[in-house]
Amino acid sequence: MFEAINSPWLVPFDGSFMRADMPTAVDDVPDKKSYKKKLAGLVDELDDLQRRLYASDKYSVLLIFQAMDAAGKDSTIRAVLSGVNPAGFQVCSFKQPSAEELDHDFLWRSAKRLPQRGRIGVFNRSYYEETLVVRVHPEYLQGQKLPHKLDLGTLWQERFESIRDHEKHLARNGTVILKFWLNVSPEEQKRRFLSRIDEQHKNWKFSAGDVKERSHWQDYMHAYEEALNETSRPWAPWYAIPADDKSFMRLSVASIIVDSLSKLDLQYPEVTRAQREKIRGMRELLEK
Ligand code: ATP
Ligand code: MG
């Protein structure tokens, strides 16, 4: 099974992750020129890796992004995947569940959108919301039609167990799972919200609901800390990426993906001597 690469941002597998110890900012942020150059290099490498992934047709890759609002999920996904063949990946965004989705278990809607072998699937939010936003707002559970009497003392542990089992099953069957928590500070989030108000071209991004959600910051942080501790495993690692500087965040995400996929040693399929002869025969046929 796939094993996580080492990184200062890797969430340990033994439950010892403390959110407060993880920085949201670092000192050595890249300047614009070196950022662009490094990103372009990583994007090229990722494109090459995706071609090999497709040709070898064994693994699929699932990238999960979770974060508070305005942490930069969208723009990170865009920056990192910008150079990859569009036929080689798909992005799915998970919003509030629809009536049809609520008629199924909580993993159903994302299970339908898992990437096939050879492809990269990106989840912008995911089933983790079921242990994050739903935990902060347990009233959402009322709409979930759960058959048993709700016991909030055990429900979240049960969900973590379902998620761990699900991810282990996927990993055993060839899905490489990498999970990114974009760790933004409340101060930086405030700055970004203010710029959505002050800069006209960003007005469309502003949401009063997002501002209200800020008042639950500590509850969210508690929920993230527990979710990451309960579900970071060698075959489905979480990385807590400092997100106050977007360039640093994007480069960190891109290099973790590239380093992880490089470890798979993806090769183009070997062509046997018999196949090669057959291909040569085809050349003669074409030339006739
Ligand atoms: P953006 O604002 O950048 O377009 P977004 O991911 O914030 O992207 P929104 O439509 O603003 O998209 O918000 C989606 C909302 O759906 C989030 O508040 C999220 O918490 C919520 N959501 C996602 N999954 C669930 C779920 N399973 N149950 C309840 N709410 C959910
Ligand atoms: Mg939003």
Side-chain angles (χ1 to χ4, degrees):
M1 230 165 14
F2 168 78
E3 290 243 349
I5 57 151
N6 234 328
S7 155
W9 317 123
L10 176 65
V11 175
F13 312 131
D14 60 0
S16 63
F17 169 69
M18 308 264 278
R19 186 201 47 85
D21 293 345
M22 275 294 184
T24 59
V26 292
D27 290 335
D28 56 340
V29 296
D31 63 67
K32 214 170 177 176
K33 210 170 138 197
S34 77
Y35 161 68
K36 282 195 170 163
K37 200 168 157 213
K38 280 188 189 152
L39 186 69
L42 288 165
V43 165
D44 277 352
E45 280 188 73
L46 186 56
D47 183 44
D48 179 55
L49 286 163
Q50 194 283 322
R51 285 167 201 259
R52 290 167 188 272
L53 184 79
Y54 184 79
S56 53
D57 202 20
K58 284 199 178 81
Y59 294 101
S60 50
V61 176
L62 177 62
L63 308 177
I64 294 184
F65 288 86
Q66 288 288 162
M68 297 298 281
D69 287 300
K73 286 185 277 100
D74 269 321
S75 65
T76 301
I77 294 168
R78 193 173 349 121
V80 173
L81 291 152
S82 57
V84 177
N85 175 3
F89 74 95
Q90 76 230 24
V91 183
C92 303
S93 300
F94 294 97
K95 315 265 172 181
Q96 294 202 352
S98 68
E100 188 195 16
E101 288 165 351
L102 289 171
D103 263 336
H104 294 268
D105 73 277
F106 77 89
L107 292 172
W108 179 78
R109 66 172 175 163
S110 52
K112 283 196 305 181
R113 291 161 156 156
L114 288 168
Q116 65 207 58
R117 295 187 206 284
R119 291 173 60 110
I120 301 174
V122 183
F123 283 0
N124 182 344
R125 302 187 189 272
S126 65
Y127 41 81
Y128 279 98
E129 292 289 332
E130 294 288 341
T131 68
L132 299 168
V133 69
V134 179
R135 192 168 186 181
V136 174
H137 297 284
E139 63 274 17
Y140 287 164
L141 290 167
Q142 300 308 325
Q144 297 197 352
K145 309 187 187 181
L146 298 172
H148 309 295
K149 194 167 174 294
L150 285 177
D151 178 355
L152 295 187
T154 57
L155 183 80
W156 313 116
Q157 284 305 324
E158 286 170 9
R159 290 196 167 182
F160 293 138
E161 194 181 325
S162 298
I163 290 174
R164 283 193 300 261
D165 290 349
H166 177 63
E167 291 181 344
K168 193 158 191 183
H169 164 76
L170 294 177
R172 277 197 202 106
N173 287 281
T175 304
V176 174
I177 306 169
L178 303 174
K179 304 179 290 196
F180 297 97
W181 177 45
L182 308 183
N183 181 14
V184 76
S185 66
E187 297 77 24
E188 179 60 24
Q189 190 203 47
K190 180 174 165 187
R191 264 192 292 281
R192 292 185 192 170
F193 282 165
L194 286 174
S195 80
R196 289 178 180 185
I197 294 172
D198 296 341
E199 296 172 39
Q200 224 176 36
H201 70 284
K202 292 187 185 168
N203 282 172
W204 65 273
K205 279 201 216 170
F206 181 77
S207 146
D210 289 355
V211 174
K212 222 176 119 220
E213 236 19 47
R214 267 172 71 77
S215 61
H216 300 289
W217 194 274
Q218 282 316 320
D219 297 339
Y220 272 108
M221 291 306 112
H222 171 251
Y224 271 110
E225 186 171 275
E226 198 161 310
L228 269 57
N229 265 321
E230 291 287 338
T231 60
S232 190
R233 294 294 180 268
W235 51 89
W238 272 108
Y239 295 91
I241 311 285
D244 283 359
D245 180 80
K246 287 193 172 182
S247 307
F248 179 84
M249 168 175 68
R250 292 170 190 167
L251 288 179
S252 306
V253 169
S255 55
I256 289 170
I257 300 172
V258 165
D259 291 348
S260 303
L261 301 193
S262 302
K263 246 184 58 168
L264 295 176
D265 193 25
L266 300 163
Q267 300 295 345
Y268 289 105
E270 286 217 7
V271 180
T272 61
R273 180 184 284 224
Q275 282 169 323
R276 220 174 292 134
E277 269 164 27
K278 204 169 164 196
I279 294 174
R280 261 193 228 118
M282 285 298 163
R283 159 174 266 283
E284 281 162 26
L285 194 69
L286 272 170
E287 279 175 348
K288 272 186 209 151

